[in-house]
Amino acid sequence: MYQIWLKRLTNSKGLTVSKNHYFYLSKEIMNKRIKRILENIKSILKYPTIHAALSKKNKLYFFSYSWSFGGGERVFVDMLNLFKEEHPICFVTGTSVTEGFRKEYEAAAHTINLNRWSQKKGLKGYMLKKVAKAINSQKEVTIVGWSSEFMYELIPLLATHVKIIDITHNFTDNGKGLELKTLPYVPRINKRIVGSKGLIQQFEDLYKDNNIPLNYVDRLVFIRNRIPFDNFLPKKDYDNQLQVVFVARNSPEKRSEILIKAAEKCQQENLPVVFKMIGDYDPKKIKAPSNVEMVGIVNDKNIVNEYYKNAHILLLTSQREGWGLVIFEAMNFGVVPISTNVGDLSYYVSNEKANGVLIENRDDSELLAQLFADEIKRFCNDSAQLKKYSQNAFETVKELVETSDFEEVYRSVILGKSE
């Protein structure tokens, strides 16, 4: 009977499964079902904790997609820390691939990972009503969300006195992004914080295309992300092998395959360079040349900083970025960025400024890899120029930090009176 059901299932999806594969398929399906059941039980057991948190008075509720390792999460933690004394509640509403910034989230706010409560249809419907009721009961209350579909679905249930703030770092490139799901709620969102200047134009175009009055563009607020700065440029060894770091999550838009191809080209030319690949990349699934070290996940920022201190170059091969925070985190330690020209990077990095290199974004990965390899070769052959770029990269971050209004503007937008 089970095989008949499985056969119907596979055929309905246009699959052809041999008899010998039924056992393995059924085992995989059962494992997934068991995993979901365990997740449901775990979520239900968490309910008393959620109930207790929602029973207390609060004026700040934050909603974050994840606490994984990533630039968006890093910015969210920096923002959360500004309001630690307010004892806010922070709901994690998506799937966190890694433990990433979990400790930082929990140190800054009463953090609750909703898990299946924000994903399973039946549980989510109940939780939306419960969270809305708790928020509506507060006299002065603000909710702040980043990439949280749960928060957007919450909006129709909220009372008019609730202040709503959305944070967006980037649009997706498949035409099906979360920004489209926010369109019905544009009139209700009091402020939209954007992490890059380019997003203001993207939102304006989005509103035009969907017949949304352009006066809502006035609700957009650009806040430049916070950059860590130690005011100390570490000494680097320019006489031996150069170190290139790549720091990213394992996501298609990061295009790690370009890094691998660039490393292969560097190896073919016997360039004195080694690549350090930091992120949730599985060495069993990636065929990397011997000049690539698969470091793996590094959640401790102090350890990541040690890699930056010894590195000479950072590669960013992304298809898209909002601001590219990792670029500035590396420049803080005098690491010279070689990056695709994405997001707002051209405002801050260029050959003209002699603080980094931007390569025009292309779909041809082979060509891109060659362009990256060519720039690495240039620096391998000219250590004096690399030193100059390193010093200028450091000075760029210093200037950005000295002119930062991150704390002032975030406090003003979130704690100020709603319009």
Side-chain angles (χ1 to χ4, degrees):
M1 179 62 71
Y2 188 78
Q3 286 189 352
I4 293 173
W5 171 83
L6 185 60
K7 189 172 182 179
R8 288 176 178 172
L9 174 65
T10 54
N11 287 341
S12 68
K13 294 182 177 294
L15 302 174
T16 301
V17 182
S18 69
K19 192 172 183 179
N20 293 333
H21 291 160
Y22 278 126
F23 172 75
Y24 299 103
L25 271 175
S26 59
K27 184 178 179 181
E28 181 181 351
I29 291 171
M30 286 303 296
N31 285 339
K32 288 182 178 179
R33 290 187 65 186
I34 291 171
K35 183 179 179 180
R36 285 198 298 269
I37 290 170
L38 291 175
E39 287 176 347
N40 288 341
I41 293 173
K42 184 179 178 181
S43 295
I44 291 171
L45 291 175
K46 191 184 289 184
Y47 180 80
T49 302
I50 300 172
H51 176 77
L54 292 175
S55 299
K56 297 178 181 178
K57 288 186 177 181
N58 212 303
K59 66 178 183 180
L60 283 178
Y61 295 83
F62 292 94
F63 298 84
S64 173
Y65 175 77
S66 83
W67 56 38
S68 295
F69 180 81
E73 289 85 353
R74 174 72 270 169
V75 175
F76 202 84
V77 168
D78 289 339
M79 182 265 298
L80 274 181
N81 280 321
L82 299 178
F83 306 99
K84 186 184 296 186
E85 294 181 358
E86 304 291 341
H87 306 290
I89 295 176
C90 177
F91 291 107
V92 176
T93 63
T95 302
S96 298
V97 179
T98 68
E99 290 294 279
F101 293 107
R102 177 176 179 172
K103 291 182 179 179
E104 285 87 343
Y105 269 60
E106 292 177 341
H110 183 177
T111 303
I112 299 172
N113 185 2
L114 287 178
N115 197 271
R116 299 288 283 172
W117 283 109
S118 58
Q119 299 168 30
K120 184 175 173 59
K121 187 175 181 179
L123 294 177
K124 181 168 69 172
Y126 175 84
M127 187 54 63
L128 284 168
K129 293 177 182 178
K130 185 169 183 64
V131 173
K133 182 178 180 181
I135 292 174
N136 290 337
S137 68
Q138 313 299 322
K139 291 183 179 180
E140 293 185 8
V141 61
T142 299
I143 71 169
V144 184
W146 163 66
S147 291
S148 173
E149 188 170 353
F150 182 89
M151 190 197 81
Y152 299 133
E153 293 176 347
L154 187 68
I155 290 176
L157 304 177
L158 297 177
T160 56
H161 73 279
V162 178
K163 182 179 176 182
I164 301 171
I165 297 172
D166 174 54
I167 301 174
T168 302
H169 294 302
N170 207 350
F171 276 19
T172 57
D173 52 7
N174 59 8
K176 300 178 181 179
L178 198 56
E179 62 273 4
L180 297 179
K181 295 185 178 181
T182 72
L183 292 177
Y185 314 121
V186 168
R188 185 64 184 84
I189 297 173
N190 298 94
K191 290 290 183 181
R192 304 196 83 152
I193 296 172
V194 295
S196 68
K197 296 177 182 178
L199 272 174
I200 295 177
Q201 184 61 54
Q202 285 183 276
F203 267 115
E204 183 173 335
D205 293 341
L206 182 67
Y207 289 176
K208 282 182 182 177
D209 292 342
N210 290 274
N211 299 314
I212 293 174
L214 290 184
N215 60 292
Y216 290 115
V217 174
D218 296 337
R219 297 187 181 186
L220 298 173
V221 181
F222 166 64
I223 304 180
R224 197 171 67 208
N225 296 328
R226 170 171 281 175
I227 307 170
F229 185 63
D230 300 293
N231 201 22
F232 173 75
L233 179 62
K235 292 183 178 180
K236 298 178 186 286
D237 179 9
Y238 291 92
D239 298 324
N240 297 296
Q241 200 175 49
L242 295 185
Q243 293 190 24
V244 178
V245 291
F246 177 84
V247 184
R249 66 181 182 275
N250 187 1
S251 183
E253 73 273 10
K254 301 300 180 181
R255 299 193 296 193
S256 60
E257 67 276 6
I258 295 175
L259 166 80
I260 299 299
K261 290 179 180 180
E264 290 172 347
K265 294 178 185 299
C266 289
Q267 188 176 64
Q268 290 166 6
E269 295 202 40
N270 295 315
L271 296 181
V273 59
V274 62
F275 296 78
K276 309 281 186 176
M277 195 171 180
I278 302 174
D280 54 327
Y281 295 94
D282 186 349
K284 296 179 181 178
K285 296 181 179 180
I286 296 178
K287 186 178 180 182
S290 58
N291 62 347
V292 176
E293 177 187 339
M294 306 284 286
V295 177
I297 299 172
V298 181
N299 292 327
D300 189 332
K301 66 179 179 180
N302 293 319
I303 297 176
V304 175
N305 289 346
E306 288 302 314
Y307 280 100
Y308 286 145
K309 288 176 183 177
N310 294 311
H312 304 87
I313 296 169
L314 176 130
L315 289 196
L316 190 145
T317 58
S318 299
Q319 172 67 33
R320 57 180 172 84
E321 289 284 346
W323 201 61
L325 182 61
V326 67
I327 291 282
F328 302 95
E329 290 178 339
M331 290 170 72
N332 172 41
F333 294 98
V335 183
V336 177
I338 304 177
S339 169
T340 43
N341 187 1
V342 289
D344 277 8
L345 289 180
S346 61
Y347 289 104
Y348 310 101
V349 177
S350 68
N351 265 318
E352 290 69 30
K353 292 182 175 69
N355 62 358
V357 179
L358 295 183
I359 295 171
E360 283 310 307
N361 202 3
R362 305 166 187 264
D363 293 327
D364 187 337
S365 61
E366 195 68 35
L367 176 58
L368 267 179
Q370 185 62 59
L371 293 172
F372 275 103
D374 290 344
E375 295 297 339
I376 293 170
K377 182 178 181 179
R378 174 163 71 96
F379 285 125
C380 283
N381 295 332
D382 194 343
S383 60
Q385 188 179 52
L386 184 57
K387 286 181 184 179
K388 176 185 175 182
Y389 273 59
S390 174
Q391 179 69 47
N392 290 342
F394 175 80
E395 294 295 337
T396 296
V397 172
K398 182 178 181 180
E399 181 181 350
L400 288 173
V401 169
E402 289 174 349
T403 59
S404 173
D405 57 1
F406 180 90
E407 180 174 342
E408 177 185 346
V409 181
Y410 258 109
R411 286 187 178 279
S412 174
V413 172
I414 292 177
L415 297 181
K417 293 182 179 180
S418 61
E419 295 180 356

